[in-house]
């Protein structure tokens, strides 16, 4: 399957999010006037914006002929502001943009590809191809990834050591995962469950499906897996729920995916759970006095393919109306690959996407959790499959259906077979709509 977005699909996505119209409207505006510097916009919380503003100043100090003006906004305000700027022909030269919008704006002609600056100015050899391809539209590179995140399995080192259970080493299968869950339950004298229950989590299901050679979505209008595979997924967790290998339904219902304080591993009731690398340092680890480590997710068979893939946190893109594109390209490369930028940003948005930036950090003083994440990131990039196609607009509705089905099965209000049948019927209706 192709990982490159099509223009038609991206314009459809833009219409759903309400941004394609201003993007396309922007294409009719006259070019901007020549500038004596470049403008750089970004989004995030105050800490992240402060650090990125520092980088604009650092670049200007080292390049006195190019003044970089930083324009930072809170995430909630950023996208509406950017759409307005694009429509008015007054957007910044270098734009921090996410994966959902890079295709929409590039398809509308608001972004310029950076291919002419590769490799002379922008050193893309430091980026994994599976990251670069997600910023590529119609064969052209429209974004340079800033940071990345990868699905991983977290485990509570303190808890496992206290009951004498060996740590997982990342060479395991789903069968091994189940065995470890049950071993934790037995070794703890039934005081601990083995794992969280991710049966209603689309990202965890996607990892399982990819380990089987399937996908969560075939395209924007259909699921990419069979009813048998979903039944296998639900039966797997039902068996562990019965043995105490995973948390019971009532505890699982109180734990929200992605909400760190409610995660069983943080609450110290189950030592295993999934996490994205960007959420370890300053996230899950900061909420517990136990030591948390991470490893690769299970494979379907010992010699099977690694199911995870790197996901960009965001990209730096070039405004099509920028009058100093070479200067902007140099700044993009300096920001993504440079030593000063790596030391300043560290893991504020997750592990750096650039191997050059990661090497800079690994050569310096690191907090234990920072080294864990960087070491894991390099390992994961050596064991990865190409990324899936973009999720369809109705993916949120499908995620809600998956969660409801998993809870209905866990509480015994429906059977696995009936739950799977209903899920497929309702999910396909949502996708078709």
């Amino acid at each position: 399957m192709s990982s490159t977005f099509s223009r038609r699909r991206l314009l459809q996505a833009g219409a759903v999010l309400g941004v394609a119209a201003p993007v396309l409207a922007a294409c009719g505006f006259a070019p901007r006037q020549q500038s004596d510097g470049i403008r750089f916009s970004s989004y995030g919380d105050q800490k992240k914006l402060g650090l990125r503003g520092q980088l604009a100043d650092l670049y200007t100090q080292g390049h006195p002929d190019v003044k970089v003006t930083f324009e930072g906004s809170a995430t909630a305000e950023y996208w509406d502001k950017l759409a307005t700027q694009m429509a008015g022909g007054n957007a910044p030269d270098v734009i921090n943009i996410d994966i959902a919008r890079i295709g929409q704006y590039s398809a509308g002609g608001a972004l310029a590809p950076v291919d002419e600056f590769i490799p002379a100015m922008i050193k893309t050899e430091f980026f994994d191809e599976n990251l670069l391809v997600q910023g590529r539209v119609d064969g052209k590179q429209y974004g340079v990834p800033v940071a990345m995140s990868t699905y991983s399995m977290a485990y509570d080192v303190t808890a496992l050591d206290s009951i004498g259970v060996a740590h997982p080493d990342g060479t395991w299968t789903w069968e091994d995962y189940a065995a470890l869950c049950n071993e934790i339950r037995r070794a703890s004298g039934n005081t601990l469950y083995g794992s969280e229950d991710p049966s209603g989590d689309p990202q965890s299901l996607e990892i399982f499906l990819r380990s089987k050679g399937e996908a969560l979505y075939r395209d924007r209008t259909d699921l990419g897996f069979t009813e048998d595979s979903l039944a296998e997924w639900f039966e797997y967790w039902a068996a562990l729920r019965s043995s105490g290998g995973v948390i019971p339904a009532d505890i699982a219902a109180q734990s929200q995916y992605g909400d760190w304080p409610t995660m069983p591993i943080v609450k110290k009731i189950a030592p295993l759970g999934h996490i994205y690398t960007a959420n370890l340092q300053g996230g899950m680890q900061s909420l517990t006095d136990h030591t948390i480590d991470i490893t690769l997710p299970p494979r379907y068979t010992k010699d099977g393919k690694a199911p995870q893939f790197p996901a960009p946190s965001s990209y730096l893109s070039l405004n099509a109306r920028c009058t100093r594109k070479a200067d902007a390209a140099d700044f993009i490369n300096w920001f993504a690959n440079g030593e000063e930028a790596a030391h300043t940003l560290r893991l504020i948005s997750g592990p750096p996407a650039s191997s050059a930036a990661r090497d800079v950090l690994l050569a310096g003083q690191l907090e234990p959790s920072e080294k864990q994440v960087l070491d894991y990131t390099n390992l994961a990039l050596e064991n990865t499959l190409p990324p899936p196609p973009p999720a369809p607009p109705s993916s949120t509705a499908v995620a809600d259906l998956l969660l409801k089905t998993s809870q209905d099965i866990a509480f015994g209000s429906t059977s696995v077979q009936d739950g799977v049948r209903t899920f497929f019927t309702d999910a396909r209706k949502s996708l078709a709509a």
Side-chain angles (χ1 to χ4, degrees), residues 15-33:
V16 171
L17 293 178
V19 298
V23 171
L24 292 172
C27 298
F29 284 85
R32 298 185 312 173
Q33 296 299 311

Side-chain angles (χ1 to χ4, degrees), residues 59 117 119-127 144 316 327-339 341 354:
Y59 184 86
F117 303 108
M121 297 183 71
I122 299 178
K123 310 298 183 182
T124 55
E125 65 265 27
F126 296 119
F127 300 94
V144 176
L316 294 182
D327 289 333
D330 185 71
F331 174 73
I332 288 174
N333 182 72
W334 179 89
F335 189 103
N337 288 317
E339 183 174 347
S354 163

Side-chain angles (χ1 to χ4, degrees), residues 213-243:
E214 296 180 87
L216 194 58
Y217 297 104
R218 177 173 293 109
D219 51 38
R220 297 180 69 80
T221 61
D222 199 8
L223 300 169
F225 57 98
T226 65
E227 291 189 17
D228 286 344
S229 289
L230 185 58
E232 181 184 4
W233 172 254
F234 284 137
E235 286 166 355
Y236 176 90
W237 296 107
L240 282 173
R241 198 177 298 116
S242 176
S243 68

Side-chain angles (χ1 to χ4, degrees), residues 32-92:
R32 298 185 312 173
Q33 296 299 311
Q34 180 74 25
S35 169
D36 62 353
I38 57 176
R39 294 160 55 210
F40 162 48
S41 68
S42 185
Y43 59 94
D45 59 25
Q46 286 303 310
K47 183 177 181 181
K48 185 180 296 185
L49 295 177
L51 292 175
R52 292 185 171 180
Q54 289 178 32
L55 286 182
D57 294 338
L58 280 172
Y59 184 86
T60 299
Q61 292 170 19
H63 304 77
D65 57 330
V66 182
K67 176 177 173 55
V68 177
T69 301
F70 179 65
E71 301 176 9
S73 301
T75 304
E77 305 164 359
Y78 183 76
W79 301 113
D80 286 343
K81 179 180 178 181
L82 179 61
T84 300
Q85 290 175 320
M86 285 291 195
N90 191 39

Side-chain angles (χ1 to χ4, degrees), residues 60-357:
T60 299
Q61 292 170 19
H63 304 77
D65 57 330
V66 182
K67 176 177 173 55
V68 177
T69 301
F70 179 65
E71 301 176 9
S73 301
T75 304
E77 305 164 359
Y78 183 76
W79 301 113
D80 286 343
K81 179 180 178 181
L82 179 61
T84 300
Q85 290 175 320
M86 285 291 195
N90 191 39
D93 302 286
V94 176
I95 301 167
N96 188 200
I97 199 164
D98 65 9
I99 190 171
R101 293 170 176 84
I102 192 171
Q104 299 157 15
Y105 281 110
S106 60
L111 301 179
V114 297
D115 301 78
E116 63 180 296
F117 303 108
I118 301 172
M121 297 183 71
I122 299 178
K123 310 298 183 182
T124 55
E125 65 265 27
F126 296 119
F127 300 94
D128 187 270
E129 174 63 17
N130 289 327
L131 281 170
L132 289 174
V133 74
Q134 295 175 73
R136 201 172 287 154
V137 181
D138 293 336
K140 296 180 180 180
Q141 195 72 46
Y142 282 92
V144 176
V146 174
M148 56 174 286
S149 186
T150 309
Y151 186 102
S152 65
M153 299 308 300
Y155 60 94
D156 185 331
V157 173
T158 307
L160 294 184
D161 288 350
S162 71
I163 59 175
V165 172
H167 303 174
D169 64 4
T171 63
W172 52 355
T173 64
W174 287 103
E175 184 178 351
D176 296 329
Y177 186 92
L180 179 58
C181 288
N182 288 326
E183 183 183 359
I184 291 168
R185 184 65 172 167
R186 289 192 300 270
S188 69
N190 294 341
T191 60
L192 291 174
Y193 299 99
S195 166
E196 66 176 2
D197 180 355
S199 59
D201 176 46
Q203 285 73 38
S204 296
L205 173 60
E206 182 170 48
I207 291 295
F208 172 75
L209 294 170
R210 284 167 62 86
S211 74
K212 293 187 64 179
E214 296 180 87
L216 194 58
Y217 297 104
R218 177 173 293 109
D219 51 38
R220 297 180 69 80
T221 61
D222 199 8
L223 300 169
F225 57 98
T226 65
E227 291 189 17
D228 286 344
S229 289
L230 185 58
E232 181 184 4
W233 172 254
F234 284 137
E235 286 166 355
Y236 176 90
W237 296 107
L240 282 173
R241 198 177 298 116
S242 176
S243 68
V246 301
I247 55 176
D250 58 336
I251 296 178
Q254 300 169 22
S255 175
Q256 300 179 28
Y257 304 126
D259 180 34
W260 306 322
T262 66
M263 293 185 72
I265 193 170
V266 170
K267 296 173 74 173
K268 301 177 183 176
I269 57 177
L272 302 180
H274 77 282
I275 188 176
Y276 280 87
T277 49
N279 299 333
L280 179 63
Q281 189 211 18
M284 183 187 291
Q285 182 62 82
S286 67
L287 297 174
T288 176
D289 57 355
H290 282 198
T291 298
I292 307 297
D293 206 347
I294 53 178
T295 190
L296 297 172
R299 305 184 185 205
Y300 198 70
T301 60
K302 282 287 187 184
D303 58 353
K305 297 286 182 75
Q308 72 279 353
F309 60 95
S313 64
S314 64
Y315 289 94
L316 294 182
S317 293
L318 186 60
N319 187 342
R321 293 171 189 76
C322 176
T323 58
R324 299 183 63 164
K325 287 187 172 65
D327 289 333
D330 185 71
F331 174 73
I332 288 174
N333 182 72
W334 179 89
F335 189 103
N337 288 317
E339 183 174 347
E340 288 178 296
H343 281 308
T344 301
L345 295 173
R346 299 183 75 85
L347 274 67
I348 189 67
S349 297
S354 163
S355 62

